[in-house]
Amino acid sequence: MDALINDIEIIKAKTTKINDVDFDNLTFGKILTDHMLECDFKDGKWQAPKVVPYQPITLDPSAKIFHYGQSVFEGMKAYKDADGTVWLFRPLDNFKRLNISSKRLAIPELPEDYFMNGLKALLKVDSDWIPRNEGSSLYIRPFIFASGKGFHASPADEYKFIIACAPSGSYFSGEVKVLIEEKYSRSANGGVGFAKAGGNYAGQFYPTQLAVDKGYQQVIWTDDNTHEYIEEAGAMNIFVRINDTLITGPTSDRILDGITRKSIIELAQSKGIPVEVRKITVSEVVEAAKNGSLKEMFGAGTAAVISPISGFGYKNEDYDIPEMEDAYASFLKKHITDIQTNKSEDPFGWRYKVE
């Protein structure tokens, strides 16, 4: 039966897939919910968004997404607390960053109410899909791509905005060993590294596979010019703990302004942990590993929240990072996930109740 939620048209799926899902054994991002939000840009404006059954989409072979790569996305999560209330974590930051990414790729920016009201309507329709299991959540993927037709190398005249959701377990499991990249770059000055553009990730896959073939799980990206500075860890921002100081690189044209990254910096400072936002040289990290002052390295992002790094490789040498009992990674991850899941107070105003 069709309906309206938050002024969003709802077209319900005739059947549900939820009864076939094992919520105790969720992989990441493989199973999709019954519905999705869909909104088209055409005739110079965004049309009314609507919630529809999750389904394939049909595109013309000349759709510009296939040829010129106009595509941006976000990653978010929804959580259910013990009372069944649904929460989001800093969703307006995701909305703002989606538009920052869109602007850089000449994609028309999206109205805030289309994003927020559409997302809330979708979560209400698929509320039963939000897991309550510890460590699980509903992963949310908003994305925009060029659907307009034609081979001319120019921005498209039509776009499609979709939000799809997947109940998911942990993103990473087990130890993560990384290889510091000496040749390939994730992004460059003046480029689109700060945007969540699909092409950024496509360009990572080949160097990452080379690292996997050598026995590592991920790559630590270095700057495009000299490869002297550590920038990101795979698809995540990176933090390094030297002695008791937590260090992360500044955002730039090349580095994504991660929402988890910002949260970690603010949380750590509030807990009295010394934080430095500055450039980090590879040689500084290698020297710290040699003299024992390198206490921790971890990646930070929406999917994994915090992913500890157990060691790294550089110039054919491996460096182990011993596990610490009082690790910042576990301390900060617990505090952030407790806020996200409404298990603790939220002094920062990050948690967003879906009503």
Side-chain angles (χ1 to χ4, degrees):
M1 181 177 175
D2 297 354
L4 282 174
I5 298 179
N6 299 325
D7 297 323
I8 305 292
E9 182 184 1
I10 311 292
I11 302 171
K12 289 279 190 77
K14 291 186 172 71
T15 59
T16 181
K17 303 169 288 187
I18 199 167
N19 297 322
D20 299 324
V21 178
D22 181 359
F23 281 87
D24 293 324
N25 292 286
L26 291 169
T27 53
F28 187 87
K30 291 283 191 181
I31 299 164
L32 284 300
T33 65
D34 289 327
H35 299 88
M36 64 185 190
L37 183 81
E38 188 173 45
C39 182
D40 289 304
F41 181 92
K42 59 184 179 180
D43 301 326
K45 64 180 182 179
W46 285 104
Q47 308 299 306
K50 57 187 176 182
V51 173
V52 299
Y54 183 87
Q55 59 192 291
I57 52 178
T58 301
L59 291 172
D60 192 281
S62 71
K64 292 200 174 185
I65 177 58
F66 300 133
H67 308 280
Y68 304 114
Q70 278 183 288
S71 172
V72 296
F73 70 95
E74 276 297 321
M76 310 170 65
K77 287 180 177 178
Y79 309 85
K80 226 176 227 182
D81 66 17
D83 296 327
T85 304
V86 178
W87 301 92
L88 295 166
F89 185 72
R90 306 185 71 165
L92 287 173
D93 286 345
N94 290 101
F95 162 71
K96 291 171 185 174
R97 192 172 62 183
L98 183 68
N99 273 346
I100 289 170
S101 299
S102 294
K103 186 175 181 179
R104 179 61 182 84
L105 270 74
I107 295 171
E109 295 176 50
L110 194 71
E112 181 181 318
D113 59 334
Y114 281 28
F115 181 94
M116 291 302 300
N117 289 345
L119 174 58
K120 288 186 284 185
L122 177 61
L123 291 177
K124 286 181 181 180
V125 172
D126 278 345
S127 175
D128 289 346
W129 286 86
I130 304 173
R132 297 195 190 199
N133 308 46
E134 190 74 26
S136 296
S137 59
L138 185 72
Y139 185 77
I140 303 166
R141 173 55 60 87
F143 58 103
I144 306 173
F145 62 90
S147 55
K149 300 180 287 186
F151 293 139
H152 186 265
S154 62
D157 58 359
E158 294 186 1
Y159 297 85
K160 190 174 284 288
F161 168 54
I162 290 175
I163 303 180
C165 302
S168 297
S170 298
Y171 188 65
F172 287 118
S173 59
E175 294 186 345
V176 176
K177 291 201 169 187
V178 297
L179 180 66
I180 296 179
E181 184 56 56
E182 301 174 54
K183 176 182 178 182
Y184 296 99
S185 298
R186 176 186 172 275
S187 58
N189 287 331
V192 295
F194 68 91
K196 283 190 76 72
N200 288 346
Y201 297 81
Q204 292 184 30
F205 294 153
Y206 176 66
T208 301
Q209 186 56 53
L210 295 179
V212 169
D213 292 342
K214 293 178 181 177
Y216 303 93
Q217 283 77 48
Q218 269 296 349
V219 165
I220 287 188
W221 301 105
T222 50
D223 69 288
D224 63 303
N225 188 27
T226 65
H227 296 287
E228 292 177 1
Y229 297 97
I230 281 175
E231 299 210 320
E232 293 202 345
M236 309 174 78
N237 294 118
I238 188 167
F239 285 81
V240 174
R241 175 183 175 182
I242 296 179
N243 291 318
D244 289 333
T245 300
L246 198 58
I247 311 165
T248 192
T251 56
S252 67
D253 286 349
R254 305 184 306 275
I255 298 178
L256 185 72
D257 186 13
I259 293 163
T260 306
R261 171 190 175 276
K262 291 191 289 190
S263 305
I264 288 170
I265 292 170
E266 196 171 341
L267 176 62
Q269 290 172 333
S270 76
K271 298 296 183 182
I273 295 172
V275 178
E276 294 180 3
V277 179
R278 62 170 175 82
K279 289 185 175 182
I280 313 165
T281 63
V282 176
S283 58
E284 178 183 9
V285 172
V286 170
E287 180 57 32
K290 288 179 178 178
N291 65 30
S293 61
L294 178 63
K295 305 300 184 184
E296 294 181 71
M297 292 175 71
F298 55 84
T302 297
V305 184
I306 289 176
S307 181
I309 294 168
S310 61
F312 66 90
Y314 182 64
K315 291 192 180 296
N316 299 315
E317 279 197 53
D318 284 329
Y319 301 86
D320 290 328
I321 304 173
E323 191 172 338
M324 295 191 65
E325 284 187 15
D326 58 344
Y328 287 168
S330 53
F331 174 80
L332 294 168
K333 182 173 183 176
K334 184 179 189 308
H335 275 78
I336 288 176
T337 55
D338 281 355
I339 290 173
Q340 290 172 333
T341 54
N342 197 28
K343 291 178 181 174
S344 70
E345 293 298 315
D346 176 18
F348 309 99
W350 292 336
R351 196 163 52 221
Y352 182 98
K353 187 177 181 179
V354 177
E355 296 181 291

